[in-house]
Amino acid sequence: MNTKIWDLRQMEQSSEELDALNEMKDIFENGGLIALPTETVYGLGADARNEQAIHKVYEAKGRPSDNPLIVHIHTLDQIDAFSSGITDEIKKLMKAFWPGPISFIVPLKKGYLCRSVSGGLDSIAVRMPSHPIGRRILQFVDLPIAAPSANLSGRPSPTTFEHVYHDLDGRVDGIVNGDQSEVGLESTVLDCTQFPFRIARPGSITQLMIEAILPNCITTQGALDIDKPIAPGMKYKHYAPDTPVKIIDSLEHQPSSNKNWDKTAFILPRSMRKLVPESATFITLCKDENDIRGANHNLYQILHQLDQDNHIEQAYILGFPINDESTAIMNRMMKAADQVIVKGEEL
Ligand code: TXA
Ligand code: MG
């Protein structure tokens, strides 16, 4: 398949942009697949009403089809067609955080979306992204667009055009270039099918941020238990680069100089650079030990980089103490590291 590339970054309101948008609308309406930028990660979009299109999404990603997809919208009015379960509480949260990096699982009204978008469940995840280009496309095509992360199943989620191109060139109808995703981690998934709500996947919109809008609306039962999958997608091996990665709990001194660090990368805040052994590779995780947003933004880019660099055979990454803001990145790091945490002082 010949994959078309669009770069809408310098095209705002031009006739070229209009041509490109019309072309994309055509592709979606005919059941095609287009990868597009969002502020969390790039998504692989398809018309959520079209069973064959959704089937192609699972096929292109090599993803098991019992794993439900998130439906992307550009206006709240679109939800009425596929859910009648939006309570005032849910609406309050949607209005507070949308457009933005949070998905809500709500009761599904059958008949409008195709069956496999929800993996046969009677609930559906929905999100309104804020990325200017992603949003522009959703507005123009005006369809509910199902979009999982635009990576091959089991690979880290894509945060740049290049990541998507590497995984999906030749497998999809088109890819839209829109710079590096600002947030860098997949959206928070909030299960609103029961009250109190439950965080099914932690993200950059945290429990405290949600409860600042709607006090005591979240049950923490099981939420921090990284081992137990809640969202069905979390039971598959995810986010893992081919290069073995271990989390280090802290690093106070330079690791032993008696060891050969030639093929080892240390992924640390810039403020800790002086602790990296001379023969090792230093990769910047973020500014300093408090810069969780920076680490969120960079993590997947770093995991992709590890696999491209044939010189690196193992990597150590600094973990963050678990708190409200670090829950999401620690959840992803634990998966990338296959749950392995080592003590920095023993290196
Ligand atoms: O940031 C994001 O959410 C990105 C961008 C593209 O929007 N999308 C994304 O989609 O990460 P995906 O398919 O890779 O992850 C969707 C997650 C999975 O863990 C899935 O199991 C869960 O949401 N999910 C979707 N619908 C669900 C439902 N009805 N019940 C429980 N979990 C659901
Ligand atoms: Mg994914």
Side-chain angles (χ1 to χ4, degrees):
M1 179 190 288
N2 189 18
T3 298
K4 170 121 201 185
I5 309 295
W6 295 276
D7 189 343
L8 300 190
R9 285 174 299 175
Q10 255 98 53
M11 277 197 194
E12 227 169 312
Q13 310 291 343
S14 65
S15 65
E16 283 135 289
E17 189 197 43
L18 195 61
D19 289 347
L21 290 168
N22 271 311
E23 216 175 338
M24 290 180 210
K25 191 173 164 82
D26 237 40
I27 290 174
F28 279 133
E29 282 174 347
N30 288 299
L33 312 186
I34 299 174
L36 41 92
T38 89
E39 72 280 18
T40 56
V41 301
Y42 278 67
L44 177 56
D47 181 356
R49 304 164 312 165
N50 184 331
E51 192 71 55
Q52 269 152 5
I54 300 309
H55 185 78
K56 283 198 268 176
V57 169
Y58 289 118
E59 215 170 51
K61 277 180 66 76
R63 170 171 176 159
S65 62
D66 64 337
N67 195 355
L69 307 181
I70 297 171
V71 174
H72 295 67
I73 56 172
H74 65 90
T75 164
L76 276 170
D77 298 341
Q78 284 175 285
I79 299 184
D80 295 340
F82 57 87
S83 180
S84 43
I86 312 295
T87 60
D88 289 347
E89 282 88 1
I90 301 174
K91 197 165 259 178
K92 190 167 178 189
L93 294 178
M94 289 176 169
K95 287 192 166 151
F97 295 112
W98 276 356
I102 181 168
S103 305
F104 298 90
I105 300 176
V106 295
L108 173 69
K109 182 160 87 185
K110 296 215 161 105
Y112 180 67
L113 302 178
C114 71
R115 223 185 97 78
S116 47
V117 173
S118 55
L121 300 173
D122 50 15
S123 60
I124 185 79
V126 55
R127 178 162 103 83
M128 189 191 293
S130 66
H131 189 291
I133 294 175
R135 189 162 165 72
R136 179 95 180 97
I137 296 167
L138 291 171
Q139 275 166 343
F140 190 90
V141 305
D142 197 26
L143 292 170
I145 297 292
S149 48
N151 54 300
L152 292 175
S153 193
R155 297 248 311 140
S157 288
T159 53
T160 67
F161 167 79
E162 286 75 20
H163 298 156
V164 180
Y165 186 82
H166 177 276
D167 275 17
L168 297 181
D169 180 39
R171 303 174 75 93
V172 301
D173 295 283
I175 306 175
V176 182
N177 193 340
D179 289 328
Q180 183 163 0
S181 297
E182 188 58 39
V183 174
L185 295 184
E186 304 87 348
S187 63
T188 304
V189 177
L190 188 67
D191 183 350
C192 299
T193 55
Q194 275 181 13
F195 196 90
F197 304 149
R198 211 166 38 120
I199 293 183
R201 179 175 69 187
S204 64
I205 305 283
T206 69
Q207 178 173 350
L208 286 182
M209 290 163 74
I210 297 166
E211 292 198 319
I213 306 293
L214 202 63
N216 304 318
C217 70
I218 293 177
T219 172
T220 51
Q221 226 180 351
L224 287 180
D225 191 344
I226 288 166
D227 288 340
K228 286 214 188 79
I230 304 167
M234 298 181 93
K235 73 184 178 218
Y236 304 105
K237 191 168 192 246
H238 249 180
Y239 318 117
D242 296 332
T243 313
V245 176
K246 293 181 179 138
I247 298 172
I248 38 179
D249 63 341
S250 64
L251 196 64
E252 319 242 307
H253 310 286
Q254 196 167 70
S256 164
S257 54
N258 298 329
K259 290 190 192 154
N260 179 358
W261 297 111
D262 262 8
K263 294 184 170 159
T264 302
F266 284 83
I267 306 162
L268 305 173
R270 202 178 299 127
S271 58
M272 293 172 70
R273 179 173 195 148
K274 58 183 183 307
L275 296 177
V276 176
E278 209 175 315
S279 59
T281 301
F282 167 69
I283 297 176
T284 307
L285 177 60
C286 53
K287 282 204 299 278
D288 56 42
E289 284 163 271
N290 299 316
D291 182 20
I292 292 173
R293 274 176 65 151
N296 288 351
H297 178 75
N298 293 331
L299 180 69
Y300 287 147
Q301 162 70 25
I302 292 169
L303 298 183
H304 281 98
Q305 183 187 335
L306 286 180
D307 282 345
Q308 266 151 23
D309 190 334
N310 293 329
H311 181 74
I312 299 172
E313 289 180 357
Q314 61 166 349
Y316 292 102
I317 185 166
L318 186 74
F320 291 93
I322 294 273
N323 57 37
D324 179 65
E325 199 194 356
S326 68
T327 299
I329 191 151
M330 290 314 297
N331 168 275
R332 309 308 195 276
M333 269 195 207
M334 288 289 275
K335 287 163 194 290
D338 230 344
Q339 326 278 336
V340 180
I341 306 182
V342 298
K343 290 194 174 305
E345 66 195 38
E346 286 171 7
L347 293 183

